[in-house]
Amino acid sequence: MLVEKSKQQNRFLLLYGTATGQAKAICEEIAEKAPSFGLFADLFELDDIGKKFNFEKEKCVVIVTSTTGDGDPPPNAEKFMRRIKKRVLSSTYLAHLHYALLGLGDSNYSNFCRCGRDMDARLEALGAHKLYPPGFADDGVGLEIVADPWLKDLYPALQKFLGIHPTTQEPVTETVPCKSHSKANKETDIEGPPEKSFEKLTLSAAGKDGTDGATPNRESKIPVSVIQNSDSLTSNGKSTEKADLVSDSAQDKEKSINVSETSTSIFENGAEGDSHQKEEEDRAEISTDKQTKDPSGAILTDTSAAGANIIRASNRQQVHCSNGACVWSETLCELMRDISQVATIDSSPVLTSNPALSDKDLTVPVLPPAYLDISFCDSSLKLPSLSYQNSCKLPSAASEVFNVAITEAKVLTAVGAVKKTLLLQLSLEGTGIKYSPGDSLSVICPNSSSEVDLLIHRLNLEDVADQAMTLTVKQDTKKRRAAVPAHIHPCNSTLRYVLTTCVSIRDPPSKALIRALVEYTKEDNEIRRLQELCSKEGTQDYTRCLRQSHVSLLDFLCAFPSCLPPVETILEHLPRLQPRPYSACSCQDATPDHLDIVFNLVKVEANPAEGRYYHRRGVCTGWLNDITAPLQRGDKVEEAIQIPVFVRTNQHFRPPADLNQPLIMIGPGTGVAPFIGFLEERRIARQQLEEARNSYGETWLYFGCRNREKDYLFRDRLAEFEKDSTLTQLRVTFSRDICAEEENATGSCSETSISSDGCPPRYVQDQMRRDCADLARLLTEKDALVYVCGDAKNMAADVAAAFEEVLQLEKGMSKDDAHMFIMKKRIHKTYLEDVWL
Ligand SMILES: Cc1cc2nc3c(=O)[nH]c(=O)nc-3n(C[C@H](O)[C@H](O)[C@H](O)COP(=O)(O)O)c2cc1C
């Protein structure tokens, strides 16, 4: 049908570049809505250029692209970028083309929306014309703040350009508002103008205008009693909605990656690990730091294993009353209180708007059409060998998926350290894996079994969770291009398996999901609050309450006890569970048989005041910690502990081939990981090239941690690198070792410098300022390569600011000039970041 319609003059080309699926989801939404505006989209990846579309012949193009890595194009936009960047192309090459562009990025990264910006500049330089100004949406504060208005302007701009009269628009038929009073809007919204992707809810005094039934107008009246109810609830609110990543298209399927045998055993290991873990030790560690690179943008945390045990041991009564959902939720809350001694749910900030929205009209998204049907076979299923996520293409995979054995698990931090840091040694034997320092290894992990248990319990699905499940597309769905999400097995699997391995249950619920939940909620005050949270007016509330507080689906459902959605709705909206990348902390030339990764065990405590009702750990780090518990204890394991992994290459963040080239590496905490590989490689190259000994470029490393005795990672190895001059300068700062005298007494002199006030520098950037003469010389005279690895939010920006200060102080540059100097280095890829949120 699409092909046929594509021939029509109301067709446009719709292209996306994505690393984790958000740009694709936005494009799918555009394609879905286009027919309502009399338009038809041909949807492709940017890198389908030359294969599925001919850019030279297109006249109207819409592009949505994210940025990944360090300002790089996503993997499926690289070829496109190379094509349009060809120098031979003239300034009129694309003069026939009109385009609209939406860039996605995150302002926590230095190169905000670099790919979108570069693409826009390049298209313009090639003579293409903008349909209207590009949008650059920030995932750090909420994509929809920019994306929604940009999307609103898109259809009229396309209609105008393609000469489609606005009156030829089809009505939006899927607009259905909420259940009780807002149910009233269903019918009226069906009539509503198609450009409205939101339905309007108007509040008025009770009884003034049939508050409960359907009203003929678009604006329905919500009784004051309801408003007061919603006010009496407790909560706060915040930001952005992550686009759903649900429907990966069939074309994404690549050759089957069968990791199920291992995956299954690993998931069992996970559950086992849950019960074995050293709770005492774990409880001593409290950290809210996000340590792993998380492509989905979600905090990596995990449920306490104790939860599962409590749940398993509990007597799960199914009490049916007029409000069954409520009963389930209360039971759940009881369980959660046991786990974490949390306060009562009704103290949740998720429940109260701030600033108050109770007296505001709300513009809420149209009800996304339901499109999945689920059926269960009566008997429980012994899971067959399943391919991971239904063989759906894995983002950024530069290699096949391999099952690798964990041969060693070492705790690098001392007892009492604030965070526990683990080093895992992974055997490469028989895998053929090739990697270079700077590359990452993505670990395919399951969700926490206890969290899945809790979710199944909350959704009242225990009876069917282990039965054979079949997912199909609803016959009468209004969703265009509806398909079972490509990363979910449509049959021969179980709900427990899908919730464990295919979908992300830790992300805050999207606005589209919240809108759908309205339909399955009984209590008026909860309905109103759900409407607020998914409304345009509640954007700030959504960001604060859900995104910034890292509220999970389970937290959210606990806050809304009368909400009991069918699991199909949940599966329609949950994003795909993403693999977690970790920098290689080794060098293949030095240790060909294994690859090391290092990470902090992420922990987030329950905090009802922020809407989190249960203690959790990183999805991946918690799991890895559990399954390696025997290795950490030094126990002998009979069967190898295997995990599925794949390699992610990094084109730029790698040591220079030329040993003469000076480099400055900044890697506090686990940010030091890639530099261990860098230094190993340089050491070997230096040994091999005798002559290089005389012209070896200066090699500086800045490392920072809290305490010298507790979390100085790789202390001995760094000392060895320093001793054999692989490292020419090692600078280490300790943020919590405050006494300068003590430092002097115990520290090695080369590690840290004491200032005239007797205080050692606390952070790497403090130390950098003290080295300003050397750093300025290295930057301006030697064009040293700079590598920064670690936390994006604070450290990376502070380090860049420190470099700029150094240039101002030592070279007399103005603030702007210093900024420009570093900016140029970024553009020339001599200032590189590998950072995470
Ligand atoms: C590993 C990683 C690197 C990123 N690097 C950048 C960056 O350099 N600049 C930027 O603006 N955003 C960066 N982002 C943010 C993404 O562009 C943003 O989250 C976007 O919404 C993702 O869209 P996608 O799912 O379509 O890839 C990065 C995200 C990840 C996970």
Side-chain angles (χ1 to χ4, degrees), residues 17-24 66-72 104-107 109 111-114 139 143 294-295 648:
T18 188
T20 55
Q22 301 200 76
K24 183 181 180 190
S66 66
T67 295
T68 193
D70 185 13
D72 304 316
L104 310 184
D106 187 323
S107 57
Y109 290 89
N111 285 303
F112 176 59
C113 279
R114 169 65 51 211
D139 203 12
L143 290 175
D294 180 0
R648 265 173 61 152

Side-chain angles (χ1 to χ4, degrees), residues 106-170:
D106 187 323
S107 57
N108 289 300
Y109 290 89
S110 313
N111 285 303
F112 176 59
C113 279
R114 169 65 51 211
C115 177
R117 289 181 195 283
D118 282 357
M119 205 177 279
D120 180 53
R122 190 60 189 151
L123 293 176
E124 198 169 33
L126 295 175
H129 310 277
K130 293 184 212 298
L131 287 168
Y132 67 106
F136 297 105
D138 185 355
D139 203 12
V141 293
L143 290 175
E144 89 267 12
I145 294 170
V146 168
D148 279 358
W150 184 89
L151 286 166
K152 195 164 159 262
D153 292 344
L154 176 67
Y155 302 103
L158 288 168
Q159 286 176 324
K160 190 171 168 205
F161 176 71
L162 294 170
I164 312 291
H165 199 272
T167 53
T168 63
Q169 298 162 3
E170 290 170 14

